[in-house]
């Protein structure tokens, strides 16, 4: 069952939101409790404590007024006005004390009936019972004070002393009750403050606990995200780089059931498709050049049409292969050709040529866009032909092992014809069987040039266009202007001698003497022409083109009608 990444992200987000909601709820609860304690302190406990303190102060002030009256009564000359003033103040303080106690009782009643603030109902109930007793004791103290004044005016010392002692006792009783209430209030206040501090500490601990839990959950979520999201993506990235470097054996195991898994499956299918393409290329690359297979598979080469391009075509053929086959067994012929084609194909592929087909013992190949650059195909074809000469020497050394013979080995040589020019390139064939190839006059010309080597005793012949396109890369000497079978236009042909700058001095002098003789020959200057050709033979007694032109000069001298009117030699054989 597929679980989308969005569902995973939603689940993680929902978990975090739930955690945040829990934190918010617990923090709100702690805040409410803390606010309640603060409200209880500020609205009830502290005001009541202040009011009880005021009552204590008022009672003490009454005692002070009482002491002053005693002093005034004991004085020799009574100050009646001062005594009356102290009485009035004594009475005022008593009234104020009763009012404050009444206010405290109302505040306690309000606290006990409040639904907004939670209070210590037991403690406040005790205070509610104690405060009226203080009020009663204070009123009794006030009444005793009045009696004391009456006794003082009557001048009864014994009664005055009794009343005075009673006042002192009542004052002590009031102070004791006040002290008890103050202690109770302080306890209420202290307990509330302690609860507030405890709640604050609990909130801190809770916050730290939630923070730790959130951190642990965050790490767990990060690990899950890494395992389920990041790691599969990294494996895909690693696999992509491996494929980019050519490793098509890679296969990634899906470790989840989401879009990443679907992407992994798609990646594995893609790699499987690439492996199949590589298998096709490897298989058909033995029959068709891998670049053509790749181009057709990737639609870079047209599988239906053709186009005209300037390309270079090469034909190579073994000399006397038919007679050679008569000396070999069928198995020997197959081994001979397989080894020959293997060695001769290597320079073609090394120089980016396309082997079009094997025709008996011949190899047809070509160079040009899109397989090579537009300006290098002629030079690459020439380099390939020159390297094939070196491979032919290697092939001759391998013949004893290839054929299983030590004596009677066949003489092996080959000829190559190379022509550059316009050709038609594309997919040609029937609906059931097609081939990507080149056709046109220049293809036929390359084949004719391969055969023309027999006439001139050369190994590699190229046409004029090849010589022009590769002029900066090769050394070649002009041999003749010929008209091959099937063409009416004359063709200037050149013998490919080597790479640019790699001919020795004798070879360069031979090239110059031969071209000088060719100029005399074309001008009809037979004696200078023959002289130049014979000088070529002095430099290289086996130079077949020089021998051919000496033979032609002798033939023309003997029969002037043998000279071609336009100076073009007609080849009557393929």
């Amino acid at each position: 069952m597929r679980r989308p990444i969005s569902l995973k992200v939603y689940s993680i987000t929902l978990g975090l939101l739930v955690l945040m909601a829990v934190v918010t709820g617990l923090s709100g609860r702690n805040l409410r409790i803390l606010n309640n304690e603060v409200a209880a302190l500020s609205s009830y406990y502290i005001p009541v404590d202040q009011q009880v303190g005021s009552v204590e102060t008022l009672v003490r002030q009454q005692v002070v007024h009482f002491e002053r009256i005693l002093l005034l009564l004991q004085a020799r000359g009574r100050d009646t006005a001062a005594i009356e003033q102290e009485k009035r103040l004594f009475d005022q303080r008593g009234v104020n004390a009763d009012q404050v106690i009444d206010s405290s009782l109302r505040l306690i009643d309000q606290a006990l009936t409040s639904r907004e603030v939670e209070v210590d109902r037991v403690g406040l109930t005790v205070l509610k019972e104690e405060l009226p007793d203080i009020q009663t004791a204070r009123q009794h103290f006030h009444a005793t004070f009045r009696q004391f004044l009456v006794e003082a005016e009557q001048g009864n010392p014994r009664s005055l002393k009794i009343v005075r002692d009673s006042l002192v006792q009542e004052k002590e009783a009031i102070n004791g009750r006040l002290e008890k209430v103050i202690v109770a209030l302080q306890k209420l206040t202290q307990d509330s403050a302690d609860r507030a501090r405890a709640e604050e500490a609990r909130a801190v601990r809770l916050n730290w606990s939630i923070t730790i839990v959130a951190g642990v959950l965050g790490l767990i979520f990060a690990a899950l995200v890494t395992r389920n999201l990041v790691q599969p993506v990294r494996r895909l990235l690693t696999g992509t780089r491996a494929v980019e470097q050519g490793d098509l054996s890679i296969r990634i195991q899906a470790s989840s059931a989401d879009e990443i898994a679907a992407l992994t499956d798609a990646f594995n299918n893609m790699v499987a498709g690439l492996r199949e393409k590589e298998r096709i290329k490897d298989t058909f690359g033995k029959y068709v050049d891998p670049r053509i297979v790749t181009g057709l598979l990737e639609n870079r080469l047209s599988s239906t049409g053709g186009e005209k391009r300037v390309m270079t075509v090469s034909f190579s053929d073994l000399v006397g292969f038919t007679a050679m086959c008569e000396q070999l067994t069928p198995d020997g012929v197959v081994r001979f050709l397989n080894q020959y084609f293997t060695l001769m194909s290597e320079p073609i592929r090394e120089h980016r040529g396309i082997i079009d087909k094997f025709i008996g013992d011949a190899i047809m190949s070509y160079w040009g866009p899109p397989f090579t650059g537009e300006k290098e195909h002629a030079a690459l074809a020439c380099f390939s032909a020159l390297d094939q000469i070196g491979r032919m020497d290697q092939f001759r050394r391998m013949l004893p092992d290839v054929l299983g013979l030590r004596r009677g080995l066949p003489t092996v040589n080959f000829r190559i014809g190379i022509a550059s020019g316009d050709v038609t390139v594309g997919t040609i064939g029937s609906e059931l069987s097609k081939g990507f190839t080149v056709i046109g006059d220049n293809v036929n010309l390359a084949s004719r040039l391969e055969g023309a080597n027999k006439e001139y005793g050369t190994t590699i012949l190229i046409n004029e266009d090849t010589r022009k396109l590769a002029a900066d890369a090769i050394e070649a000497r002009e041999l003749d202007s010929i008209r091959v079978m099937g063409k009416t236009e004359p063709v200037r042909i050149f013998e490919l001698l080597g790479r640019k700058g790699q001919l020795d001095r004798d070879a360069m002098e031979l090239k110059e003497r031969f071209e000088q003789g060719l100029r005399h020959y074309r001008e009809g200057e037979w004696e200078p022409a023959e002289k130049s050709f014979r000088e070529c033979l002095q430099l290289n007694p086996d130079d077949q083109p020089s021998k051919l032109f000496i033979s032609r000069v002798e033939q023309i001298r003997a029969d002037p009608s043998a000279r071609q009117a336009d100076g073009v030699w007609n080849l009557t054989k393929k």
Side-chain angles (χ1 to χ4, degrees):
M1 178 181 177
R2 294 286 186 189
R3 293 189 295 275
I5 294 176
S6 58
L7 180 60
K8 294 181 179 180
V9 174
Y10 175 78
S11 300
I12 293 173
T13 304
L14 182 61
L16 293 175
L17 289 174
V18 169
L19 183 61
M20 290 174 60
V22 170
V23 172
T24 302
L26 293 175
S27 297
R29 173 184 171 278
N30 291 336
L31 185 61
R32 284 194 302 274
I33 294 174
L34 190 59
N35 287 338
N36 181 83
E37 297 299 333
V38 172
L41 283 169
S42 62
S43 300
Y44 302 114
Y45 298 154
I46 293 176
V48 170
D49 184 63
Q50 290 174 345
Q51 288 178 353
V52 171
S54 299
V55 171
E56 183 183 19
T57 301
L58 290 170
V59 170
R60 290 184 185 278
Q61 288 177 347
Q62 280 189 307
V63 172
V64 171
H65 293 306
F66 168 66
E67 296 292 341
R68 287 178 180 173
I69 290 172
L70 285 177
L71 292 174
L72 290 172
L73 289 173
Q74 292 174 1
R76 289 183 179 181
R78 289 189 179 184
D79 188 349
T80 305
I83 291 173
E84 291 299 326
Q85 177 66 23
E86 292 300 329
K87 285 181 185 180
R88 203 166 41 251
L89 291 174
F90 182 92
D91 293 338
Q92 183 64 43
R93 300 291 185 265
V95 172
N96 291 341
D98 289 341
Q99 292 174 346
V100 171
I101 291 173
D102 290 337
S103 176
S104 297
L105 289 171
R106 288 193 299 272
L107 196 58
I108 290 173
D109 286 335
Q110 182 181 347
L112 290 173
T113 57
S114 174
R115 295 183 178 179
E116 298 177 356
V117 180
E118 294 279 340
V119 294
D120 186 350
R121 296 183 178 277
V122 175
L124 289 179
T125 301
V126 172
L127 286 177
K128 184 178 179 181
E129 294 173 354
E130 292 288 340
L131 286 176
D133 291 342
I134 294 174
Q135 190 176 36
T136 301
R138 195 216 62 78
Q139 291 174 353
H140 194 274
F141 173 75
H142 197 94
T144 304
F145 171 73
R146 285 294 177 185
Q147 184 180 357
F148 169 77
L149 292 178
V150 172
E151 295 292 339
E153 289 179 0
Q154 293 178 357
N156 187 348
R158 183 175 176 275
S159 298
L160 184 62
K161 182 177 183 304
I162 293 172
V163 173
R164 183 175 179 180
D165 292 340
S166 178
L167 279 173
V168 172
Q169 291 175 0
E170 290 177 3
K171 183 193 72 169
E172 293 298 331
I174 293 173
N175 288 337
R177 290 181 182 278
L178 283 171
E179 186 67 28
K180 184 178 178 181
V181 170
I182 289 172
V183 169
L185 277 170
Q186 288 176 349
K187 185 176 184 304
L188 282 175
T189 304
Q190 185 64 42
D191 289 345
S192 181
D194 290 342
R195 284 194 296 271
R197 282 192 294 269
E199 202 60 41
E200 181 183 11
R202 187 181 300 111
V204 171
R205 288 195 302 272
L206 178 64
N207 287 338
W208 274 110
S209 300
I210 296 298
T211 300
I212 293 172
V213 170
V216 172
L217 290 177
L219 291 175
I220 293 173
F221 289 153
L224 290 174
V225 169
T226 301
R227 183 170 65 85
N228 293 331
L229 296 180
V230 177
Q231 287 184 356
V233 171
R234 286 178 178 172
R235 286 197 293 269
L236 280 172
L237 181 59
T238 301
T240 303
R241 288 173 177 169
V243 171
E244 185 180 11
Q245 295 172 2
D247 182 8
L248 297 181
S249 63
I250 190 76
R251 179 173 179 81
I252 299 174
Q253 187 67 35
S255 59
S256 60
D258 51 22
E259 289 87 348
I260 299 295
L263 183 61
T264 301
D265 292 341
F267 175 84
N268 289 331
N269 292 334
M270 179 197 72
V271 175
L274 291 176
R275 278 199 300 268
E276 183 64 17
K277 282 188 177 181
E278 284 299 313
R279 189 186 67 80
I280 293 173
K281 286 194 289 184
D282 289 342
T283 301
F284 290 96
K286 297 182 176 71
Y287 301 90
V288 182
D289 191 281
R291 287 168 291 175
I292 294 177
V293 177
T294 301
L296 292 173
L297 289 174
E298 296 177 356
N299 296 320
R300 290 189 287 107
L301 297 178
S302 173
S303 60
T304 56
E307 56 184 320
K308 182 170 286 189
R309 287 180 176 173
V310 176
M311 303 182 78
T312 299
V313 182
S314 169
F315 275 86
S316 66
D317 194 13
L318 284 167
V319 177
F321 177 70
T322 302
M324 196 184 308
C325 287
E326 295 176 357
Q327 304 174 23
L328 302 175
T329 65
D331 182 64
V333 171
V334 172
R335 282 187 289 143
F336 177 93
L337 284 177
N338 286 343
Q339 188 60 54
Y340 170 75
F341 286 144
T342 297
L343 289 176
M344 294 301 114
S345 298
E346 289 174 357
I348 297 174
R349 295 185 186 277
E350 289 172 1
H351 293 286
R352 291 181 282 160
I354 301 294
I355 296 176
D356 185 77
K357 60 178 70 73
F358 298 109
I359 312 170
D361 61 319
I363 303 174
M364 174 185 169
S365 54
Y366 58 88
W367 286 257
F371 310 107
T372 66
E374 294 182 354
K375 297 181 179 180
E376 61 179 349
H377 53 84
L380 291 172
C382 292
F383 292 160
S384 173
L386 293 171
D387 287 350
Q388 284 178 316
I389 294 176
R391 300 298 171 95
M392 177 57 75
D393 293 337
Q394 180 183 353
F395 179 65
R396 293 188 186 105
R397 292 192 297 270
M398 296 173 63
L399 271 180
D401 295 328
V402 173
L403 299 178
L405 299 174
R406 290 293 178 267
R407 282 185 273 179
L409 293 171
T411 300
V412 182
N413 285 302
F414 70 155
R415 296 185 290 257
I416 300 176
I418 301 174
S420 299
D422 290 335
V423 298
T424 299
V425 57
T427 304
I428 298 173
S430 68
E431 288 296 325
L432 299 178
S433 178
K434 295 182 179 181
F436 191 87
T437 187
V438 292
I439 58 174
D441 285 345
N442 280 295
V443 177
N444 297 328
L445 175 60
S447 177
R448 299 293 185 267
L449 291 182
E450 180 275 318
N453 280 290
K454 187 187 303 183
E455 174 77 14
Y456 293 91
T458 52
T459 301
I460 307 174
L461 287 181
I462 62 176
N463 72 340
E464 185 177 10
D465 286 343
T466 301
R467 198 255 182 209
K468 288 179 180 179
L469 290 171
D472 295 333
I474 62 171
E475 297 286 358
R477 65 171 170 174
E478 185 176 2
L479 291 185
D480 205 354
S481 291
I482 63 173
R483 189 177 287 110
V484 299
M485 289 184 62
K487 287 182 67 71
T488 58
E489 294 296 323
V491 178
R492 292 176 65 186
I493 62 172
F494 297 77
E495 180 188 11
L496 179 61
L497 301 176
R499 292 179 181 241
K500 194 75 171 179
Q502 293 187 359
L503 294 183
D504 58 28
R505 186 175 4 174
D506 289 344
M508 288 299 296
E509 186 176 353
L510 175 64
K511 172 178 175 292
E512 293 171 1
R513 294 289 178 88
F514 184 89
E515 290 178 345
Q516 182 181 18
L518 185 61
R519 287 193 296 270
H520 290 309
Y521 173 84
R522 287 174 173 167
E523 295 294 330
E525 300 170 353
W526 312 123
E527 189 171 331
E530 183 179 2
K531 179 182 177 183
S532 295
F533 293 137
R534 291 193 180 278
E535 288 176 350
C536 290
L537 290 177
Q538 291 176 358
L539 292 171
N540 181 8
D542 295 326
D543 186 51
Q544 296 301 319
S546 298
K547 292 179 181 181
L548 174 65
F549 274 90
I550 290 174
S551 174
R552 285 185 186 177
V553 169
E554 292 174 350
Q555 182 181 356
I556 292 172
R557 279 177 173 172
D559 182 9
S561 63
R563 180 187 180 187
Q564 302 291 336
D566 55 2
V568 178
W569 195 265
N570 294 314
L571 294 183
T572 58
K573 297 180 181 180
K574 293 183 179 181

